Each structure stands twice: as structure tokens, then as C-alpha cells.
Amino acid sequence: MKPLAVNPETEKKLFFHNYARLPIAVTHGEGVWLVGDDGTRYLDMIAGIGVNALGYGDRRLVEAISTQAAKLIHASNLFMMQPQFELAEKLLALSGLSKVFFANSGTEAIEAAIKMARKWAGRLGDTNKNEVLSLSNCFHGRTYGAMSLTAKPKYSGGFEPLLTGTGMIAFNDITDLEEKVSEKTAAVFIEVIQGEGGIHKISQPFIDRLKELREQYNFLIVADEIQAGCGRSGKFFSYSLLQADPDMVCLAKPLGGGLPLSAVIGNEKVADVLEYGNHGTTFGGNPVACAAGIAMIQAIEEDKLTEHAEEIGRFMHEELQKLAEKHPQILEIRQYGLMIGITVDKEAKGYVVKALQKQLLINATSINVIRLLPPLVISREEAQLCITLLDEILTEERAEKNG
Ligand SMILES: *Cc1c(COP(=O)(O)O)cnc(C)c1O
């Protein structure tokens, strides 16, 4: 039998049309290089949407996964399992918080946090205290609760009715913050650095006011660290950049070293909010994913990858600034560790296609933002190569326009 052709035509036949996939099939990877089925090597500045912090083929990760897979792949949360315990202990030590819940994806961590926030607020005795707020331009996920917090037509259009008791505060707008929060507020969900929104950081005054209002109205601050967490921002948790002091933290994307794993970590306030049977998931905290998570965090610590992200990020910022001076297509550069957003004067999609032709993988978000989320292990030379290729693309584009 002929092997199935992995190409855009077959893709159209087999799948629902919810993904705009790049027209390449990939088979393996090495470091920051992703390899196509024809042997083409791509410099990967997307890293599985911020998942592959250690790049591809990290020996420690592969070994941890194989060893655990040979022992026990799944048993369910009817049992206690060593890898879950170890990873939980590690996350509590890193955050200084009190309790952990494991799930499988970012959106599930957000759902769990919404449920815990409402249960926590309900127990204070006011039945109206159930409002869950988020910030404009945010992204928290695709399931109903998370999507309702991410209420933008692009994500939620056609799926109404959404969850009630949600609301949105204008990003970094202190006046709007003061208007929106009240006694009815159970929780405010924040991304300290908005990822899908185009790499925008919350301001220090906004966070400071949010913390004051938390004192006044008694609500929870939930930090969505799904994209910015685990070292990418130059800190293990991006909330440390602003001393946001969250009550709950959601982690996912890189947490399982590429396997599906997410976590909600909470402080003393919410430590007892869940009772037996209130919440759960069959796969959550899968032992193989947790073993990968332990290896991933150990590698981040061993290789000092948070510091490395900070250093390489700063280098890329300087080099991109030089490109911006040369190329008027670049309007703005925002960089926090290895989360980089480049605002351009047109739809960013065109650059994704041009970059692909140069074996460079970049991502477009928020229409006119090029987003770079390279593996944290990227070297200075590889970062420089990315800059050189972007320079070529921007130069060629101007030559075409003028020619
Ligand atoms: C990706 C992402 C999510 C959703 O995670 P999934 O694993 O895709 O469900 C939520 N919040 C942020 C900030 C993200 O980047």
C-alpha cells in the first residue's frame, strides 16, 4: 500500500478546518532546528508555540520520558505517584505557594482556576460574589470558561452564549480597573506579559493598584503564566517582574517538556477550597508528563536558562533595534526575555511565508505582530542568524517595492 501523503490536500480531506497549518511536514528536530520530511532544516523561532523550551532531542528529557514510560505510563489519580509528588514539591518551592492541581492543557488549568475562584468567593457568604474579570486583548484558552474570559469575536464569535458573570478591564487602564472591580469580584485573571495579544506587558502602576483593590474588595489575582512562565520571561515566573503576588498561578505550555501537562498552584487562601470529588481529570498529572516536567525544570536550573533567556533576549532586542532603524516596515519592538513582538506596518502573515522560504520559522499574532518564541537553549549565533534572515527579508521587500 502507498504511504499516506502528508500534504495540504490530504489535510483538507481528513481534518476539520480549524488550523491554518504551514505547508511543510516535519519529522524530527535537533536543538533549535526542526527538520522537514524532505530533509530541510528550519531555524525554529516558534518552538511549538513556546512549548519546546529545551529545543528538540534534549537527552535528559528523552531519558526521563523513556525511563518513566517503561515503568508506568498511566494509573489515574486513584493512586499516588512519585513523579507527581516530586514535580509538585518543585513547583511549590519555586513559587512559595501552598497547593498544586495538575491537568493536561492550558485551558484546563484556567477552567480549574475559575471554578476554584468561584467556590472560594461563594464560601465568603455573598451569593453575588462570582464575577471573574480579565484584561482586554488577553488569551486564556478555548474551552467555555477560558473562552469567555477571552471574549474577542475572533475566538468566541458564533459560540454564544458564553459564561455569564465575566467581564473585561481595559489593559493597563487604571480608571477602568477602578470602575470594574467591586464587592462582586471573585477573581481577576492576568497575563503579566500578553502572548497571543502581541507581547504586551502590564504596567507596574496597574499591578500596584490591582493589589490595593484586592485588599479593599477581597478578590483573587490569578496569573496566567502558561506562555510567559518556566523561564521564558527571564524570570521563572513572569509575575516576579512586577511583584504581582498572585493567589493562583496557571502553568502549561513548556511545563511537560512537550508532553501535555498543566498546573494550577494556589496560596493558603484557596488551599482548602476543593473537597473530594469537586474537580478532577483522568489524565491530569500523568506520570510520564510529570517525569518530563521534572527533567525540564532541572535542565532550566542546570543550564541557567532563565538567565540565558534574559541575555539572548537583550542581544536580540539590540540587533532588532538596528533593523528598525534601517527598515521603516518595523514600527515597534517589545522584548521580555525570549518573548519578542515586532509590530510591522502590514499584516504579519506575509513575513511568515517569506521566512519559510529562508528556512526560518516565525509566527504572526494580533494581525500585525511578528512573534518570536525560540527555544530557551538558543545560542547567540543562532539568534544572530535569525536577525540576518529577517534583515534579508526586509531588505528584499523594500527592493521589490522600489524596483
Ligand atoms: C496557549 C495559552 C493558553 C491555552 O493553553 P492550551 O494548552 O492551548 O489550552 C492559555 N493562556 C495563555 C497565556 C496561552 O498562551
Side-chain angles (χ1 to χ4, degrees), residues 53-54 58-68 83 86-87 90 236 254-259 261 287-303 305:
L54 305 181
D58 185 276
R59 178 183 42 75
R60 296 160 292 187
L61 198 53
V62 174
E63 205 174 288
I65 291 171
S66 330
T67 305
Q68 181 57 41
E86 259 179 56
L87 184 58
K90 193 76 214 171
F236 191 84
L255 182 63
L259 293 182
L261 181 65
V288 183
C290 286
I294 296 161
M296 208 276 304
I297 293 177
Q298 274 172 358
I300 286 181
E301 291 178 340
E302 252 172 52
D303 298 355
L305 291 178

mmCIF file of all heavy atoms in Angstrom, residues 53-54 58-68 83 86-87 90 236 254-259 261 287-303 305:
data_model
loop_
_atom_site.group_PDB
_atom_site.id
_atom_site.type_symbol
_atom_site.label_atom_id
_atom_site.label_comp_id
_atom_site.label_asym_id
_atom_site.label_seq_id
_atom_site.Cartn_x
_atom_site.Cartn_y
_atom_site.Cartn_z
ATOM 1 N N ALA A 53 10.955 24.458 25.257
ATOM 2 C CA ALA A 53 11.958 25.302 25.906
ATOM 3 C C ALA A 53 13.363 24.748 25.724
ATOM 4 O O ALA A 53 14.324 25.500 25.593
ATOM 5 C CB ALA A 53 11.634 25.445 27.387
ATOM 6 N N LEU A 54 13.482 23.421 25.706
ATOM 7 C CA LEU A 54 14.815 22.802 25.576
ATOM 8 C C LEU A 54 15.134 22.460 24.118
ATOM 9 O O LEU A 54 16.101 21.742 23.855
ATOM 10 C CB LEU A 54 14.900 21.527 26.425
ATOM 11 C CG LEU A 54 14.554 21.673 27.918
ATOM 12 C CD1 LEU A 54 14.719 20.337 28.628
ATOM 13 C CD2 LEU A 54 15.403 22.748 28.589
ATOM 14 N N ASP A 58 16.528 16.912 23.494
ATOM 15 C CA ASP A 58 17.327 17.022 24.720
ATOM 16 C C ASP A 58 17.429 15.635 25.379
ATOM 17 O O ASP A 58 16.427 15.006 25.702
ATOM 18 C CB ASP A 58 16.688 18.022 25.692
ATOM 19 C CG ASP A 58 17.555 18.247 26.922
ATOM 20 O OD1 ASP A 58 17.466 17.432 27.872
ATOM 21 O OD2 ASP A 58 18.334 19.203 26.915
ATOM 22 N N ARG A 59 18.649 15.214 25.578
ATOM 23 C CA ARG A 59 18.948 13.869 26.063
ATOM 24 C C ARG A 59 18.320 13.598 27.429
ATOM 25 O O ARG A 59 17.761 12.535 27.690
ATOM 26 C CB ARG A 59 20.473 13.768 26.114
ATOM 27 C CG ARG A 59 21.113 12.525 26.608
ATOM 28 C CD ARG A 59 22.652 12.707 26.632
ATOM 29 N NE ARG A 59 23.073 14.033 27.144
ATOM 30 C CZ ARG A 59 23.058 14.408 28.426
ATOM 31 N NH1 ARG A 59 22.646 13.576 29.362
ATOM 32 N NH2 ARG A 59 23.460 15.609 28.794
ATOM 33 N N ARG A 60 18.377 14.589 28.320
ATOM 34 C CA ARG A 60 17.855 14.411 29.681
ATOM 35 C C ARG A 60 16.342 14.196 29.664
ATOM 36 O O ARG A 60 15.799 13.384 30.405
ATOM 37 C CB ARG A 60 18.192 15.658 30.525
ATOM 38 C CG ARG A 60 19.674 15.853 30.711
ATOM 39 C CD ARG A 60 20.008 17.275 31.099
ATOM 40 N NE ARG A 60 19.765 18.237 30.016
ATOM 41 C CZ ARG A 60 20.106 19.514 30.051
ATOM 42 N NH1 ARG A 60 20.699 20.009 31.118
ATOM 43 N NH2 ARG A 60 19.854 20.300 29.033
ATOM 44 N N LEU A 61 15.692 14.940 28.774
ATOM 45 C CA LEU A 61 14.241 14.859 28.640
ATOM 46 C C LEU A 61 13.828 13.507 28.062
ATOM 47 O O LEU A 61 12.930 12.829 28.583
ATOM 48 C CB LEU A 61 13.789 15.995 27.721
ATOM 49 C CG LEU A 61 12.342 16.423 27.722
ATOM 50 C CD1 LEU A 61 11.868 16.747 29.132
ATOM 51 C CD2 LEU A 61 12.185 17.653 26.828
ATOM 52 N N VAL A 62 14.507 13.104 26.997
ATOM 53 C CA VAL A 62 14.186 11.834 26.335
ATOM 54 C C VAL A 62 14.400 10.673 27.310
ATOM 55 O O VAL A 62 13.573 9.761 27.396
ATOM 56 C CB VAL A 62 15.059 11.653 25.070
ATOM 57 C CG1 VAL A 62 14.852 10.274 24.460
ATOM 58 C CG2 VAL A 62 14.743 12.743 24.048
ATOM 59 N N GLU A 63 15.461 10.757 28.086
ATOM 60 C CA GLU A 63 15.764 9.685 29.025
ATOM 61 C C GLU A 63 14.720 9.608 30.142
ATOM 62 O O GLU A 63 14.248 8.523 30.502
ATOM 63 C CB GLU A 63 17.150 9.926 29.623
ATOM 64 C CG GLU A 63 17.831 8.674 30.104
ATOM 65 C CD GLU A 63 19.254 8.988 30.533
ATOM 66 O OE1 GLU A 63 20.078 9.234 29.617
ATOM 67 O OE2 GLU A 63 19.514 9.015 31.751
ATOM 68 N N ALA A 64 14.341 10.768 30.665
ATOM 69 C CA ALA A 64 13.332 10.793 31.741
ATOM 70 C C ALA A 64 12.010 10.214 31.240
ATOM 71 O O ALA A 64 11.347 9.444 31.946
ATOM 72 C CB ALA A 64 13.125 12.227 32.230
ATOM 73 N N ILE A 65 11.646 10.562 30.008
ATOM 74 C CA ILE A 65 10.381 10.073 29.431
ATOM 75 C C ILE A 65 10.456 8.560 29.205
ATOM 76 O O ILE A 65 9.541 7.823 29.599
ATOM 77 C CB ILE A 65 10.053 10.824 28.116
ATOM 78 C CG1 ILE A 65 9.692 12.292 28.419
ATOM 79 C CG2 ILE A 65 8.919 10.141 27.359
ATOM 80 C CD1 ILE A 65 9.566 13.188 27.196
ATOM 81 N N SER A 66 11.557 8.086 28.608
ATOM 82 C CA SER A 66 11.664 6.646 28.312
ATOM 83 C C SER A 66 11.679 5.827 29.593
ATOM 84 O O SER A 66 11.025 4.785 29.684
ATOM 85 C CB SER A 66 12.940 6.310 27.520
ATOM 86 O OG SER A 66 13.311 7.376 26.720
ATOM 87 N N THR A 67 12.424 6.297 30.589
ATOM 88 C CA THR A 67 12.527 5.550 31.841
ATOM 89 C C THR A 67 11.159 5.429 32.509
ATOM 90 O O THR A 67 10.752 4.346 32.938
ATOM 91 C CB THR A 67 13.525 6.250 32.800
ATOM 92 O OG1 THR A 67 14.760 6.398 32.114
ATOM 93 C CG2 THR A 67 13.745 5.452 34.070
ATOM 94 N N GLN A 68 10.443 6.551 32.581
ATOM 95 C CA GLN A 68 9.126 6.514 33.234
ATOM 96 C C GLN A 68 8.131 5.708 32.397
ATOM 97 O O GLN A 68 7.321 4.961 32.953
ATOM 98 C CB GLN A 68 8.605 7.936 33.498
ATOM 99 C CG GLN A 68 7.257 7.974 34.192
ATOM 100 C CD GLN A 68 7.231 7.228 35.521
ATOM 101 O OE1 GLN A 68 8.173 7.309 36.317
ATOM 102 N NE2 GLN A 68 6.163 6.464 35.769
ATOM 103 N N PRO A 83 6.388 10.728 40.459
ATOM 104 C CA PRO A 83 6.701 11.897 39.618
ATOM 105 C C PRO A 83 5.808 13.108 39.913
ATOM 106 O O PRO A 83 6.285 14.239 39.934
ATOM 107 C CB PRO A 83 6.485 11.382 38.191
ATOM 108 C CG PRO A 83 6.659 9.907 38.289
ATOM 109 C CD PRO A 83 6.132 9.528 39.638
ATOM 110 N N GLU A 86 7.057 14.738 43.181
ATOM 111 C CA GLU A 86 8.317 15.475 43.010
ATOM 112 C C GLU A 86 8.119 16.787 42.271
ATOM 113 O O GLU A 86 8.683 17.813 42.640
ATOM 114 C CB GLU A 86 9.325 14.618 42.241
ATOM 115 C CG GLU A 86 10.337 13.972 43.156
ATOM 116 C CD GLU A 86 11.301 13.109 42.389
ATOM 117 O OE1 GLU A 86 11.950 13.644 41.458
ATOM 118 O OE2 GLU A 86 11.374 11.909 42.688
ATOM 119 N N LEU A 87 7.307 16.735 41.205
ATOM 120 C CA LEU A 87 7.091 17.957 40.432
ATOM 121 C C LEU A 87 6.304 18.974 41.261
ATOM 122 O O LEU A 87 6.615 20.169 41.242
ATOM 123 C CB LEU A 87 6.368 17.650 39.116
ATOM 124 C CG LEU A 87 6.180 18.856 38.195
ATOM 125 C CD1 LEU A 87 7.524 19.495 37.822
ATOM 126 C CD2 LEU A 87 5.418 18.477 36.922
ATOM 127 N N LYS A 90 8.549 20.667 43.684
ATOM 128 C CA LYS A 90 9.410 21.610 42.968
ATOM 129 C C LYS A 90 8.661 22.916 42.664
ATOM 130 O O LYS A 90 9.179 24.016 42.869
ATOM 131 C CB LYS A 90 9.854 20.941 41.646
ATOM 132 C CG LYS A 90 10.965 21.632 40.926
ATOM 133 C CD LYS A 90 12.293 21.383 41.570
ATOM 134 C CE LYS A 90 13.142 22.614 41.411
ATOM 135 N NZ LYS A 90 14.382 22.587 42.156
ATOM 136 N N PHE A 236 11.664 32.843 36.398
ATOM 137 C CA PHE A 236 10.927 31.582 36.264
ATOM 138 C C PHE A 236 9.441 31.871 36.079
ATOM 139 O O PHE A 236 8.779 31.278 35.236
ATOM 140 C CB PHE A 236 11.158 30.641 37.454
ATOM 141 C CG PHE A 236 10.603 29.264 37.159
ATOM 142 C CD1 PHE A 236 11.356 28.331 36.457
ATOM 143 C CD2 PHE A 236 9.302 28.931 37.520
ATOM 144 C CE1 PHE A 236 10.817 27.087 36.126
ATOM 145 C CE2 PHE A 236 8.766 27.682 37.191
ATOM 146 C CZ PHE A 236 9.531 26.766 36.493
ATOM 147 N N PRO A 254 5.327 24.942 28.277
ATOM 148 C CA PRO A 254 6.596 24.203 28.359
ATOM 149 C C PRO A 254 6.657 23.220 29.535
ATOM 150 O O PRO A 254 7.599 22.431 29.619
ATOM 151 C CB PRO A 254 7.633 25.318 28.561
ATOM 152 C CG PRO A 254 6.875 26.411 29.213
ATOM 153 C CD PRO A 254 5.462 26.314 28.765
ATOM 154 N N LEU A 255 5.659 23.248 30.417
ATOM 155 C CA LEU A 255 5.778 22.535 31.692
ATOM 156 C C LEU A 255 6.088 21.048 31.532
ATOM 157 O O LEU A 255 6.886 20.492 32.287
ATOM 158 C CB LEU A 255 4.497 22.726 32.524
ATOM 159 C CG LEU A 255 4.489 22.084 33.911
ATOM 160 C CD1 LEU A 255 5.563 22.677 34.813
ATOM 161 C CD2 LEU A 255 3.115 22.216 34.569
ATOM 162 N N GLY A 256 5.456 20.384 30.555
ATOM 163 C CA GLY A 256 5.664 18.941 30.395
ATOM 164 C C GLY A 256 6.752 18.595 29.391
ATOM 165 O O GLY A 256 6.793 17.462 28.897
ATOM 166 N N GLY A 257 7.623 19.540 29.089
ATOM 167 C CA GLY A 257 8.729 19.260 28.159
ATOM 168 C C GLY A 257 8.221 18.791 26.793
ATOM 169 O O GLY A 257 8.904 18.046 26.096
ATOM 170 N N GLY A 258 7.010 19.205 26.413
ATOM 171 C CA GLY A 258 6.440 18.796 25.130
ATOM 172 C C GLY A 258 5.296 17.802 25.290
ATOM 173 O O GLY A 258 4.525 17.575 24.362
ATOM 174 N N LEU A 259 5.174 17.198 26.461
ATOM 175 C CA LEU A 259 4.016 16.336 26.732
ATOM 176 C C LEU A 259 2.908 17.198 27.355
ATOM 177 O O LEU A 259 3.196 18.223 27.960
ATOM 178 C CB LEU A 259 4.409 15.195 27.685
ATOM 179 C CG LEU A 259 5.395 14.182 27.094
ATOM 180 C CD1 LEU A 259 5.684 13.078 28.101
ATOM 181 C CD2 LEU A 259 4.858 13.591 25.807
ATOM 182 N N LEU A 261 0.715 18.759 29.803
ATOM 183 C CA LEU A 261 0.717 18.890 31.261
ATOM 184 C C LEU A 261 0.464 20.350 31.634
ATOM 185 O O LEU A 261 1.046 21.249 31.033
ATOM 186 C CB LEU A 261 2.075 18.456 31.834
ATOM 187 C CG LEU A 261 2.214 18.519 33.362
ATOM 188 C CD1 LEU A 261 1.282 17.532 34.055
ATOM 189 C CD2 LEU A 261 3.661 18.260 33.788
ATOM 190 N N PRO A 287 2.057 10.432 34.887
ATOM 191 C CA PRO A 287 3.420 10.262 35.423
ATOM 192 C C PRO A 287 4.538 10.489 34.392
ATOM 193 O O PRO A 287 5.608 10.977 34.751
ATOM 194 C CB PRO A 287 3.433 8.823 35.941
ATOM 195 C CG PRO A 287 2.249 8.147 35.343
ATOM 196 C CD PRO A 287 1.235 9.215 35.078
ATOM 197 N N VAL A 288 4.281 10.143 33.129
ATOM 198 C CA VAL A 288 5.322 10.379 32.112
ATOM 199 C C VAL A 288 5.485 11.882 31.896
ATOM 200 O O VAL A 288 6.606 12.401 31.826
ATOM 201 C CB VAL A 288 4.992 9.662 30.776
ATOM 202 C CG1 VAL A 288 6.113 9.872 29.774
ATOM 203 C CG2 VAL A 288 4.749 8.171 31.007
ATOM 204 N N ALA A 289 4.354 12.594 31.810
ATOM 205 C CA ALA A 289 4.413 14.049 31.630
ATOM 206 C C ALA A 289 5.086 14.711 32.831
ATOM 207 O O ALA A 289 5.878 15.643 32.675
ATOM 208 C CB ALA A 289 3.005 14.600 31.425
ATOM 209 N N CYS A 290 4.796 14.213 34.045
ATOM 210 C CA CYS A 290 5.424 14.789 35.238
ATOM 211 C C CYS A 290 6.924 14.498 35.279
ATOM 212 O O CYS A 290 7.716 15.363 35.669
ATOM 213 C CB CYS A 290 4.751 14.282 36.505
ATOM 214 S SG CYS A 290 3.140 15.024 36.788
ATOM 215 N N ALA A 291 7.316 13.286 34.868
ATOM 216 C CA ALA A 291 8.748 12.962 34.820
ATOM 217 C C ALA A 291 9.447 13.906 33.838
ATOM 218 O O ALA A 291 10.555 14.400 34.095
ATOM 219 C CB ALA A 291 8.949 11.505 34.409
ATOM 220 N N ALA A 292 8.778 14.177 32.713
ATOM 221 C CA ALA A 292 9.335 15.118 31.735
ATOM 222 C C ALA A 292 9.421 16.512 32.346
ATOM 223 O O ALA A 292 10.413 17.233 32.153
ATOM 224 C CB ALA A 292 8.461 15.138 30.483
ATOM 225 N N GLY A 293 8.392 16.895 33.107
ATOM 226 C CA GLY A 293 8.373 18.209 33.750
ATOM 227 C C GLY A 293 9.529 18.379 34.733
ATOM 228 O O GLY A 293 10.158 19.434 34.779
ATOM 229 N N ILE A 294 9.797 17.321 35.493
ATOM 230 C CA ILE A 294 10.918 17.381 36.454
ATOM 231 C C ILE A 294 12.234 17.568 35.687
ATOM 232 O O ILE A 294 13.057 18.417 36.037
ATOM 233 C CB ILE A 294 10.970 16.089 37.313
ATOM 234 C CG1 ILE A 294 9.705 15.972 38.164
ATOM 235 C CG2 ILE A 294 12.209 16.059 38.190
ATOM 236 C CD1 ILE A 294 9.440 14.557 38.682
ATOM 237 N N ALA A 295 12.411 16.780 34.627
ATOM 238 C CA ALA A 295 13.650 16.880 33.839
ATOM 239 C C ALA A 295 13.772 18.259 33.207
ATOM 240 O O ALA A 295 14.862 18.833 33.140
ATOM 241 C CB ALA A 295 13.664 15.794 32.757
ATOM 242 N N MET A 296 12.651 18.793 32.766
ATOM 243 C CA MET A 296 12.648 20.112 32.124
ATOM 244 C C MET A 296 13.097 21.189 33.110
ATOM 245 O O MET A 296 13.974 21.998 32.812
ATOM 246 C CB MET A 296 11.217 20.381 31.636
ATOM 247 C CG MET A 296 11.064 21.280 30.448
ATOM 248 S SD MET A 296 11.065 23.012 30.868
ATOM 249 C CE MET A 296 9.739 23.069 32.060
ATOM 250 N N ILE A 297 12.515 21.164 34.310
ATOM 251 C CA ILE A 297 12.877 22.187 35.301
ATOM 252 C C ILE A 297 14.328 22.008 35.761
ATOM 253 O O ILE A 297 15.058 22.986 35.928
ATOM 254 C CB ILE A 297 11.896 22.173 36.498
ATOM 255 C CG1 ILE A 297 10.523 22.635 35.994
ATOM 256 C CG2 ILE A 297 12.379 23.064 37.633
ATOM 257 C CD1 ILE A 297 9.429 22.606 37.032
ATOM 258 N N GLN A 298 14.751 20.751 35.914
ATOM 259 C CA GLN A 298 16.162 20.515 36.278
ATOM 260 C C GLN A 298 17.093 21.079 35.211
ATOM 261 O O GLN A 298 18.111 21.694 35.525
ATOM 262 C CB GLN A 298 16.428 19.024 36.458
ATOM 263 C CG GLN A 298 16.105 18.552 37.874
ATOM 264 C CD GLN A 298 16.171 17.028 38.016
ATOM 265 O OE1 GLN A 298 16.418 16.315 37.036
ATOM 266 N NE2 GLN A 298 15.930 16.543 39.219
ATOM 267 N N ALA A 299 16.730 20.890 33.947
ATOM 268 C CA ALA A 299 17.572 21.391 32.849
ATOM 269 C C ALA A 299 17.600 22.917 32.861
ATOM 270 O O ALA A 299 18.652 23.533 32.652
ATOM 271 C CB ALA A 299 17.054 20.869 31.510
ATOM 272 N N ILE A 300 16.454 23.540 33.137
ATOM 273 C CA ILE A 300 16.397 25.008 33.207
ATOM 274 C C ILE A 300 17.352 25.502 34.293
ATOM 275 O O ILE A 300 18.086 26.475 34.106
ATOM 276 C CB ILE A 300 14.949 25.492 33.471
ATOM 277 C CG1 ILE A 300 14.121 25.314 32.190
ATOM 278 C CG2 ILE A 300 14.913 26.944 33.943
ATOM 279 C CD1 ILE A 300 12.690 25.777 32.308
ATOM 280 N N GLU A 301 17.369 24.785 35.416
ATOM 281 C CA GLU A 301 18.236 25.197 36.524
ATOM 282 C C GLU A 301 19.712 24.898 36.221
ATOM 283 O O GLU A 301 20.562 25.770 36.385
ATOM 284 C CB GLU A 301 17.772 24.523 37.819
ATOM 285 C CG GLU A 301 16.431 25.092 38.265
ATOM 286 C CD GLU A 301 15.857 24.458 39.523
ATOM 287 O OE1 GLU A 301 16.276 23.328 39.875
ATOM 288 O OE2 GLU A 301 14.984 25.083 40.145
ATOM 289 N N GLU A 302 19.981 23.674 35.755
ATOM 290 C CA GLU A 302 21.364 23.273 35.443
ATOM 291 C C GLU A 302 22.012 24.198 34.417
ATOM 292 O O GLU A 302 23.151 24.615 34.562
ATOM 293 C CB GLU A 302 21.339 21.876 34.811
ATOM 294 C CG GLU A 302 21.847 20.748 35.683
ATOM 295 C CD GLU A 302 21.578 19.410 34.987
ATOM 296 O OE1 GLU A 302 21.963 19.247 33.796
ATOM 297 O OE2 GLU A 302 20.974 18.556 35.647
ATOM 298 N N ASP A 303 21.274 24.490 33.363
ATOM 299 C CA ASP A 303 21.822 25.284 32.258
ATOM 300 C C ASP A 303 21.588 26.784 32.444
ATOM 301 O O ASP A 303 21.871 27.561 31.542
ATOM 302 C CB ASP A 303 21.189 24.841 30.923
ATOM 303 C CG ASP A 303 21.494 23.385 30.575
ATOM 304 O OD1 ASP A 303 22.281 22.762 31.322
ATOM 305 O OD2 ASP A 303 20.940 22.886 29.580
ATOM 306 N N LEU A 305 18.884 28.578 32.293
ATOM 307 C CA LEU A 305 18.203 29.019 31.072
ATOM 308 C C LEU A 305 17.367 30.289 31.268
ATOM 309 O O LEU A 305 17.110 30.995 30.296
ATOM 310 C CB LEU A 305 17.337 27.888 30.502
ATOM 311 C CG LEU A 305 18.139 26.711 29.923
ATOM 312 C CD1 LEU A 305 17.203 25.617 29.432
ATOM 313 C CD2 LEU A 305 19.060 27.162 28.797
#
